Amino acid sequence: MEVPADTDRAYSDNLLLSQWEYEQRHVYLYSWPRCLGLVLGNACNIDCIHCYQAKTGDNLLRPPKIAEELRRELMAFYPHLSTLRIQGGEVFAIRGFRELIDDVAPLARRPILSISTNGTLIDEEWAERLVRTPFSSVTVSIDGGTRATYNRLRKGADLDQVLGNIDRVQSWKARLGSERPYLDSFFVVMRSNFREIPHYLELMQRHGMIGVALQTMQLSPENIARTPTLEADESIADRGEVEDLHAMLRDVLPRFRRVFHTVRVSGLQTLFETHGLSTAFLEEGEKSLYPDSEGLSEGAFALCPNPWTTLFLVENGDARLCFHSQPIGNLYAEPLAALWNSPQAIAQRSDMAAGRYHASGCSPQYCGWREGKSGPCRNGDAGGQEWRGPAGTEPCRQAELETRGVLALVRRLVSEERRERSELEVHKRSLESLLEGGRRHIDHLEAKAREIEAEFGKYRRPWLVRAAHKASQVLRTFR
């Protein structure tokens, strides 16, 4: 099927409008997201001790009837996207992944597909397809510089096998003369593996990775419940260990930034600032996890760009403006376009532009260093063209993306449930008000009773007691 020619125009116009809205600090956006992230599910074929996800079996593409309607709704975004980022769980182990990627080719000329994977299931068929499609990028999670550490942290996976699968993709790229997909790697920094970072970086260089990302471990109720000692075992909190990590990164980051196209970090600036250590060498303000933020800043981002560029949908339907932020709504309650400019989304952008990152729902671990730093509005044009409003492009409209059928019915049912919950909340507050009034009345009556008892006490004099005792004795003599 031939891709419509106007999809490239829709894409380029959206980039310009997105840049202009970010620079002007608009909080209601007429641009579409540049990056749409989909966490298809939490099913996985291996067991990582630090995995932050719940293992509930949630899947955005199940049941099939809802998946079909959701996929149609997602298709409206594809012509405007720089990246469709798909992850799990493990994407190759999740039902519906193949069908989802089949939807993209008819709607986008450029490679927009990007996945995050543990790399264990990339067989010959998948390696060829990743290159022939082509996918834009493939991120492989590798949390160790040695086989022993990697295999211990990622139970059920083998580092040698994963590196072999990476080489398989590289072989197909060479065979077909393709530079895509770009291959990069993600490393979760933990107490038991951080000393292997230099060896890990050398390993990634040898296997042709163009970029790496280092992120501190995320603790969640789910991974703590599975491994109660995880925080004590793997969080880097000891001052001495933090200083060791700091000294190591000061040495290796400048060297490997000359090797890789990108070296991104996340969570390290907050960690080092907490211990009073220098952070400028990290360049986290410029080189953190900012998807598709090209052209939005000439250096460090004074304002985190993610809420202006990114919409994430996770496996339970929650929508986020950043992977680490609080939800702005749920796709089972509202259409995607409505979520992009929901009241919660507008409030998050407004708080962040004012430097209120904690209030916006951002993660203190990854964004705490930004707290109190506002992002002033930038003056200037977008690509040499002065934008005089959103009329130059078609905005992200709710009506275009609303589906009919089971998904619409689910949304109506969720809306009805919310209405009933709101009514119950009103009744609850009314009952609480009555209860509080009853308590005040009881307190008043008890105070009155104490006053009466005190007043009666005035008449309980010793002579009255003796008289009553005497009268009692007289009465007994007549019995």
Side-chain angles (χ1 to χ4, degrees):
M1 178 179 179
E2 186 177 350
V3 181
D6 59 356
T7 59
D8 287 343
R9 177 63 186 273
Y11 166 67
S12 58
D13 282 351
N14 190 64
L15 286 181
L16 288 171
L17 180 55
S18 171
Q19 178 182 342
W20 183 76
E21 290 185 320
Y22 172 76
E23 290 176 347
Q24 300 302 313
R25 306 307 190 237
H26 288 190
V27 294
Y28 184 96
L29 304 183
Y30 283 80
S31 59
W32 298 64
R34 293 181 173 199
C35 175
L36 178 61
L38 303 178
V39 181
L40 293 186
N42 49 45
C44 191
N45 63 315
I46 66 173
D47 181 18
C48 303
I49 65 169
H50 51 286
C51 180
Y52 57 85
Q53 289 181 305
K55 302 304 180 182
T56 58
D58 286 344
N59 186 330
L60 282 179
L61 302 180
R62 291 286 176 239
K65 187 62 178 175
I66 287 181
E68 181 182 339
E69 294 168 11
L70 178 59
R71 282 167 52 199
R72 281 202 301 269
E73 195 166 305
L74 291 170
M75 287 180 195
F77 283 78
Y78 298 163
H80 307 274
L81 295 179
S82 299
T83 302
L84 175 62
R85 178 73 167 179
I86 307 174
Q87 57 196 83
E90 170 50 42
V91 290
F92 294 112
I94 295 176
R95 295 169 66 187
F97 173 57
R98 288 176 182 268
E99 293 78 6
L100 183 68
I101 63 177
D102 287 339
D103 295 338
V104 176
L107 296 169
R109 291 176 180 270
R110 65 206 170 277
I112 67 171
L113 282 165
S114 172
I115 61 170
S116 178
T117 173
N118 60 39
T120 60
L121 300 178
I122 303 177
D123 56 18
E124 202 69 26
E125 177 189 352
W126 269 116
E128 181 181 1
R129 185 170 185 180
L130 292 174
V131 180
R132 285 193 184 277
T133 301
F135 279 54
S136 173
S137 65
V138 174
T139 300
V140 184
S141 296
I142 298 177
D143 304 318
T146 65
R147 185 169 182 257
T149 298
Y150 173 92
N151 291 8
R152 176 178 56 81
L153 294 173
R154 293 183 161 263
K155 299 175 182 177
D158 181 76
L159 181 58
D160 290 344
Q161 178 201 7
V162 171
L163 294 175
N165 291 343
I166 292 171
D167 293 342
R168 179 180 281 129
V169 177
Q170 300 286 27
S171 176
W172 272 104
K173 288 172 63 176
R175 191 181 311 178
L176 298 177
S178 174
E179 65 175 3
R180 304 226 185 215
Y182 298 129
L183 297 176
D184 60 79
S185 179
F186 190 89
F187 184 101
V188 177
V189 181
M190 291 177 276
R191 190 180 186 190
S192 68
N193 71 357
F194 79 86
R195 290 182 174 83
E196 296 183 5
I197 288 176
H199 189 64
Y200 157 78
L201 295 173
E202 293 169 357
L203 194 63
M204 296 303 99
Q205 180 185 4
R206 287 202 302 271
H207 287 271
M209 297 297 200
I210 69 160
V212 294
L214 307 173
Q215 178 174 283
T216 55
M217 181 181 65
Q218 178 182 350
L219 290 170
S220 69
E222 289 76 20
N223 58 21
I224 291 176
R226 290 192 295 266
T227 310
T229 62
L230 181 63
E231 183 173 9
D233 293 342
E234 294 293 354
S235 285
I236 304 173
D238 176 76
R239 171 78 184 191
E241 290 178 335
V242 174
E243 289 178 345
D244 289 347
L245 174 61
H246 182 268
M248 175 198 301
L249 293 178
R250 287 197 66 173
D251 174 52
V252 301
L253 288 185
R255 288 194 286 117
F256 281 95
R257 280 192 169 126
R258 294 191 292 269
V259 172
F260 295 110
H261 183 261
T262 56
V263 177
R264 304 187 184 279
V265 297
S266 178
L268 291 165
Q269 183 154 339
T270 300
L271 176 64
F272 292 157
E273 283 186 356
T274 301
H275 290 268
L277 301 173
S278 62
T279 59
F281 72 95
L282 294 171
E283 302 180 14
E284 191 163 332
E286 178 182 356
K287 298 173 181 175
S288 188
L289 305 180
Y290 306 128
D292 299 299
S293 55
E294 292 78 8
L296 299 183
S297 176
E298 297 175 356
F301 289 96
L303 172 66
C304 176
N306 290 355
W308 281 261
T309 63
T310 305
L311 180 64
F312 263 110
L313 303 176
V314 301
E315 65 268 30
N316 66 356
D318 281 346
R320 306 170 188 266
L321 297 179
C322 172
F323 200 74
H324 297 300
S325 67
Q326 293 298 311
I328 57 168
N330 190 285
L331 68 85
Y332 296 117
E334 300 172 87
L336 298 183
L339 293 171
W340 182 233
N341 281 307
S342 70
Q344 298 96 318
I346 292 170
Q348 280 193 14
R349 295 186 187 111
S350 179
D351 280 334
M352 291 173 68
R356 299 187 296 267
Y357 283 81
H358 291 169
S360 75
C362 289
S363 164
Q365 177 179 351
Y366 301 109
C367 306
W369 61 275
R370 286 189 175 275
E371 180 66 18
K373 300 175 183 177
S374 60
C377 176
R378 289 174 56 192
N379 295 318
D381 60 21
Q385 175 182 359
E386 184 65 34
W387 285 86
R388 303 187 183 279
T393 67
E394 289 297 312
C396 181
R397 291 197 185 102
Q398 175 175 337
E400 293 177 358
L401 304 182
E402 286 198 63
T403 59
R404 293 178 174 84
V406 177
L407 185 54
L409 175 60
V410 169
R411 285 171 176 158
R412 287 196 296 272
L413 292 174
V414 171
S415 177
E416 180 66 18
E417 181 188 11
R418 284 183 171 180
R419 182 188 65 77
E420 291 177 356
R421 284 186 179 181
S422 297
E423 291 176 353
L424 288 173
E425 185 66 25
V426 170
H427 292 319
K428 176 187 171 186
R429 290 175 182 173
S430 176
L431 290 173
E432 287 174 344
S433 178
L434 288 173
L435 178 61
E436 183 60 28
R439 285 174 177 166
R440 288 197 299 270
H441 186 62
I442 290 171
D443 291 342
H444 173 73
L445 292 177
E446 288 179 343
K448 278 291 188 183
R450 287 193 293 271
E451 290 178 7
I452 293 171
E453 185 176 359
E455 185 69 23
F456 179 73
K458 296 177 183 179
Y459 299 99
R460 295 169 60 184
R461 297 290 187 260
W463 66 269
L464 287 173
V465 174
R466 288 196 296 271
H469 180 66
K470 185 67 173 175
S472 175
Q473 289 180 327
V474 170
L475 288 172
R476 277 200 293 269
T477 60
F478 289 101
R479 289 179 182 173

